[in-house]
């Protein structure tokens, strides 16, 4: 990286999933008013940016990732005036606000799609992707990410339309220049209003080749035109605007692609969300087919991305978001115990075993990598998976569709529920438990749209913060402070140590100019003490930060993570 580093190289982002953050108007669903009331919680953490999952007008088929008006706020979440008021409050606290941008698809209720459906002659028809039937069937074999074919028949036009997600999310046609211009105008509108950037939903899917017949994702995730579209967007929307942030969500992106997308000279995006590390525990068929947790594989994957984007490009760092299980349940003590045969994933394993330790260890490891860390709401207090045991408790369209299909094909109900308990997106969507008060832990004054989950009422913001120094919150704040003050954490080169060790995650960070001492991170992902290998242990200097306070001996305690000077 040449020249002064962009501001976001020492920034930390906090993701708010508005439905589940705080309910200000007492209807059981989180909203903008609720976010405003709890902004100090986010600001106290020391983060630089707040990313809001979608709050635009939406029929909510996919919790707002199906947008029917890109320029207005859904009444469920509030009004545009409340949005402006929130933006002022975020800025007043010295933070930036990044909006979700969902333009691979719109809602089928968007006026654009309603017009597109009227007739093939309507100019907006070409804003979506239509094909004639082939032998009376769908034009190709593409499958929707949420089950079923990616094509839905429209009797009015006598054509199929494409939707990579639900049928209520028709894909926009990025080959149409008028559609692109409308999206650029909408983005400029939000930036002119004062927002500071975009997290772009499945943005590597926007260029696709529907003539391809197979279900291979190569035809829709990385078509070369995606680079043209992003460069055009940069020119029409981002160029000349300082201090903003763009992050592209890119399922299936490779390190080589990511280096292109985030090369500053190419003028595309600041950083991408890659999916490699969150796919390692998926089985061969679907994400609900679980593969045991394997630390050396996870370490190697993240290390590969560190190396590949060391010279050009930039990483975003995350273990969780609104689509992923809670890290404590997925990579923490409970998950490791399950892998060791103590219990099948999602069932008996005690999610509270070493909860504080697991949450702080995972945060330490993540925040000490090179890149921009993303904290998903609730992870800063160590929330655990929902622990739902009946299908009635689930709300997520992906989970419900998969369950129906799996049980329909003969999977025993208990097995399907186990898979959901481990993998469902609803694990990350339970309300933020602000305290232990009835009926909904301070989240709402009424029954929330989704259950509070098994963590409540033990795991709450109030309880965690009351634990003072030994709270997940305080530890996360220390990690964020460290990034803000240490150039080594911000920019230092990454080197993985002991790559094959089954329970030690160890690496160093060092600046080439040696202006600061190198740092070493050592973390014990096991429930027994771990004697450090000689080549690591003998080089550890002063303790910079640790999740269990001052070390008792050289050995790492169960789920202990430390950052040391190294030399
Ligand atoms: O997700 C895109 C995506 O590919 C997956 O993460 C998806 O959520 C799922 O886990 C596939 O198994 C984005 C949003 O983050 C997600 O919430 C939306 O449902 C999706 O796009 C469609 O907009």
């Amino acid at each position: 990286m040449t020249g002064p580093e962009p501001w976001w190289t020492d920034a930390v982002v906090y993701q708010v999933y508005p439905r589940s953050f705080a309910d200000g108007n007492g209807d059981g669903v989180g909203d903008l008013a609720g976010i405003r009331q709890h902004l100090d919680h986010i600001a106290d953490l020391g983060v630089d940016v707040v990313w809001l999952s979608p709050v635009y007008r939406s029929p909510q088929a996919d919790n707002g990732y199906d947008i029917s008006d890109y320029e207005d706020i859904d009444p469920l979440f509030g009004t545009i005036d409340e949005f402006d008021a929130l933006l002022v409050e975020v800025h007043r606290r010295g933070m930036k606000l990044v909006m979700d941008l969902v333009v691979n698809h719109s809602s089928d209720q968007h006026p654009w799609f309603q017009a597109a459906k009227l007739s093939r002659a309507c100019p907006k028809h070409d804003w979506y992707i239509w094909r004639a039937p082939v032998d009376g069937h769908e034009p190709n074999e593409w499958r929707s990410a949420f089950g079923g074919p990616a094509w839905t028949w429209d009797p009015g036009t006598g054509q199929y339309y494409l939707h990579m997600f639900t049928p209520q999310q028709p894909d926009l046609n990025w080959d149409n220049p008028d559609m692109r211009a409308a999206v650029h105008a909408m983005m400029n509108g939000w930036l002119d209003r004062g927002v500071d950037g975009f997290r772009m939903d499945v943005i590597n899917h926007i260029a696709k080749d529907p003539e391809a017949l197979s279900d291979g994702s190569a035809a829709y995730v990385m078509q070369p035109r995606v680079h043209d579209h992003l460069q055009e967007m940069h020119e029409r929307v981002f160029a000349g605007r300082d201090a903003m942030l763009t992050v592209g969500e890119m399922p299936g992106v490779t390190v080589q692609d990511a280096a292109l997308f985030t090369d500053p000279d190419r003028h595309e995006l600041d950083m991408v969300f890659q999916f490699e590390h969150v796919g390692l525990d998926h089985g061969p068929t679907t994400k609900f087919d679980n593969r045991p947790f394997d630390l050396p594989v996870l370490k190697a994957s993240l290390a590969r991305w560190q190396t590949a984007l060391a010279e050009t490009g930039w990483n975003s760092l995350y273990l969780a978001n609104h689509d992923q299980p809670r890290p404590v349940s997925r990579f923490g003590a409970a998950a490791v115990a399950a892998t060791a045969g103590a219990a099948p994933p999602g069932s008996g394993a005690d999610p509270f075993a070493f909860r504080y330790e697991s949450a702080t260890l995972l945060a330490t490891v993540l925040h000490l990598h090179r890149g921009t860390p993303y904290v998903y709401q609730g992870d800063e207090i160590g929330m655990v998976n929902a622990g739902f045991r009946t299908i009635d408790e689930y709300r997520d369209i992906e989970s419900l569709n998969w369950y129906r299909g799996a049980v329909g094909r003969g999977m025993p109900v208990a097995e399907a529920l186990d898979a959901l308990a481990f993998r469902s997106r609803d694990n990350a969507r339970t309300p933020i438990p602000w305290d232990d008060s009835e009926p909904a832990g301070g989240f709402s004054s009424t029954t929330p749209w989704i259950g509070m989950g098994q963590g409540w009422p033990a795991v709450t913001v109030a309880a965690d913060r009351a634990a003072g120094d030994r709270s997940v919150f305080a530890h996360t704040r220390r990690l964020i402070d460290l990034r803000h003050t240490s150039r080594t954490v911000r920019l230092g080169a990454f080197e993985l140590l002991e790559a094959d060790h089954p329970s030690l995650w160890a690496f160093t960070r060092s600046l080439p100019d040696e202006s600061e001492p190198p740092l070493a991170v050592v973390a014990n992902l096991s429930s027994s003490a771990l004697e450090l290998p000689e080549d690591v242990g003998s080089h550890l200097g002063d303790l910079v930060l640790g999740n269990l306070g001052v070390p008792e001996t050289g050995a790492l305690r169960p789920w202990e993570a430390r950052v040391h000077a190294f030399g």
Side-chain angles (χ1 to χ4, degrees):
M1 199 163 277
T2 52
E5 300 83 23
W7 67 272
W8 37 256
T9 54
D10 79 345
V12 178
V13 183
Y14 184 92
Q15 182 191 353
V16 172
Y17 193 64
R19 261 185 178 266
S20 307
F21 190 72
D23 172 15
N25 70 350
D27 65 355
V29 181
D31 49 34
L32 296 176
I35 300 171
R36 242 179 101 190
Q37 286 161 16
H38 288 283
L39 262 190
D40 283 334
H41 172 77
I42 303 175
D44 284 355
L45 202 53
V47 299
D48 307 274
V49 183
V50 179
W51 149 30
L52 275 194
S53 275
V55 288
Y56 310 97
R57 254 184 209 272
S58 161
Q60 306 287 324
D62 185 19
N63 289 1
Y65 283 90
D66 50 317
I67 297 170
S68 56
D69 183 348
Y70 289 105
E71 290 168 24
D72 202 3
I73 301 296
D74 197 280
L76 191 62
F77 297 122
T79 63
I80 195 79
D81 290 339
E82 282 179 281
F83 177 82
D84 286 338
L86 175 67
L87 187 57
V88 167
E89 292 296 317
V90 169
H91 285 162
R92 206 166 61 76
R93 286 167 177 78
M95 300 184 292
K96 296 180 188 291
L97 187 75
V98 162
M99 295 287 270
D100 223 298
L101 178 83
V102 189
V103 290
N104 172 69
H105 45 268
S106 71
S107 160
D108 64 342
Q109 300 306 308
H110 195 292
W112 296 347
F113 190 69
Q114 292 296 315
K117 266 174 61 155
L118 285 178
S119 105
R120 297 192 202 182
C122 169
K124 293 237 165 47
H125 187 70
D126 187 51
W127 288 29
Y128 292 85
I129 300 172
W130 305 88
R131 287 294 180 277
V134 173
D135 300 332
H137 294 287
E138 288 81 9
N140 69 22
E141 294 163 16
W142 291 8
R143 308 285 299 169
S144 148
F146 299 150
W151 298 94
T152 288
W153 176 246
D154 176 54
T157 52
Q159 288 176 307
Y160 284 95
Y161 68 87
L162 179 70
H163 52 86
M164 300 312 300
F165 296 89
T166 70
Q168 293 82 42
Q169 293 164 295
D171 279 43
L172 286 160
N173 176 18
W174 279 75
D175 286 336
N176 184 297
D178 296 334
M179 191 288 295
R180 298 202 304 274
V183 168
H184 299 153
M186 173 273 284
M187 295 173 75
N188 276 314
W190 284 104
L191 293 171
D192 292 345
R193 192 164 207 114
V195 312
D196 304 291
F198 297 102
R199 172 272 187 190
M200 305 179 182
D201 196 62
V202 289
I203 201 71
N204 62 335
H205 287 35
I206 61 176
K208 36 186 103 66
D209 176 14
E211 309 320 320
L213 290 183
S214 79
D215 181 32
S217 58
Y220 52 84
V221 300
M222 277 313 308
Q223 289 289 302
R225 281 192 328 284
V226 68
H227 293 287
D228 302 338
H229 294 326
L230 290 174
Q231 286 169 11
E232 181 189 62
M233 185 185 282
H234 194 283
E235 188 186 309
R236 307 257 160 102
V237 182
F238 309 141
R241 295 187 190 265
D242 290 335
M244 58 168 293
L245 181 146
T246 57
V247 49
E249 189 213 24
M250 298 199 172
V253 73
T254 64
V255 273
Q256 291 80 11
D257 300 329
L260 294 177
F261 284 119
T262 64
D263 176 350
D265 293 337
R266 291 175 56 92
H267 304 292
E268 296 185 19
L269 297 173
D270 296 333
M271 60 193 96
V272 305
F273 287 132
Q274 56 102 352
F275 278 65
E276 190 178 288
H277 65 300
V278 290
L280 298 172
D281 56 0
H282 293 182
T285 51
T286 77
K287 68 184 243 186
F288 294 101
D289 179 11
N290 296 319
R291 200 192 287 270
F293 176 71
D294 185 336
L295 181 62
V297 173
L298 177 63
K299 292 189 286 192
S301 169
L302 287 181
R304 211 162 64 81
W305 280 76
Q306 292 284 295
T307 309
L309 302 187
E311 301 301 325
T312 309
W314 191 252
N315 272 296
S316 45
L317 308 170
Y318 75 98
L319 289 177
N321 57 41
H322 64 291
D323 295 332
Q324 302 289 335
R326 289 287 179 186
V328 167
S329 297
R330 184 181 195 176
F331 307 115
V336 171
T339 305
S347 63
D350 174 11
F352 300 100
F354 297 104
R355 187 182 62 84
Y356 163 82
E357 293 85 346
S358 299
T360 49
L361 175 145
L362 293 166
T364 307
V365 168
L366 186 79
H367 283 253
L368 264 292
H369 276 70
R370 184 174 191 264
T372 299
Y374 286 71
V375 179
Y376 178 61
Q377 69 178 35
D379 287 341
E380 79 283 15
I381 60 160
M383 284 179 74
V384 299
N385 274 356
F388 294 153
R389 296 307 311 156
T390 61
I391 193 62
D392 312 342
E393 293 167 276
Y394 287 95
R395 302 286 176 267
D396 170 33
I397 180 109
E398 178 188 46
S399 304
L400 296 173
N401 284 354
W402 175 80
Y403 177 87
R404 209 173 299 123
V407 171
R409 284 187 299 275
M411 181 182 279
V413 163
E415 197 181 312
L417 287 173
D418 264 356
L420 285 183
F422 189 69
R423 188 69 69 191
S424 168
R425 304 196 295 181
D426 280 341
N427 285 307
R429 298 178 179 186
T430 57
I432 294 295
W434 295 97
D435 56 40
D436 60 5
S437 68
E438 294 290 346
F443 165 76
S444 176
S445 53
T446 187
T447 308
W449 69 279
I450 189 171
M452 296 297 292
Q454 64 184 336
W456 189 73
V459 180
T460 66
V461 172
D464 185 67
R465 295 195 62 171
D469 266 3
R470 208 187 141 89
S471 67
V472 183
F473 188 90
H475 187 78
T476 310
R477 181 164 54 197
R478 285 193 290 270
L479 291 167
I480 295 170
D481 288 347
L482 184 62
R483 172 169 299 268
H484 287 152
T485 51
S486 161
R487 211 173 145 72
T488 309
V489 173
R490 181 185 195 182
L491 297 170
F494 176 97
E495 192 188 344
L496 186 65
L497 307 174
E498 298 290 328
D500 299 326
H501 199 294
S503 51
L504 174 66
W505 200 336
F507 55 87
T508 58
R509 302 288 312 281
S510 53
L511 291 172
D513 64 7
E514 296 177 4
S515 55
E516 289 176 8
L519 296 174
V521 177
V522 288
N524 173 12
L525 280 85
S526 82
S527 303
S528 357
L530 187 155
E531 215 49 71
L532 284 166
E534 173 67 21
D535 59 322
V536 179
S538 60
H539 295 282
L540 296 183
D542 290 347
L543 180 74
V544 175
L545 193 149
N547 64 343
L548 302 184
V550 178
E552 284 168 352
T553 64
L556 290 173
R557 287 166 277 179
W559 294 92
E560 182 169 21
R562 298 192 221 135
V563 183
H564 283 271
F566 190 72

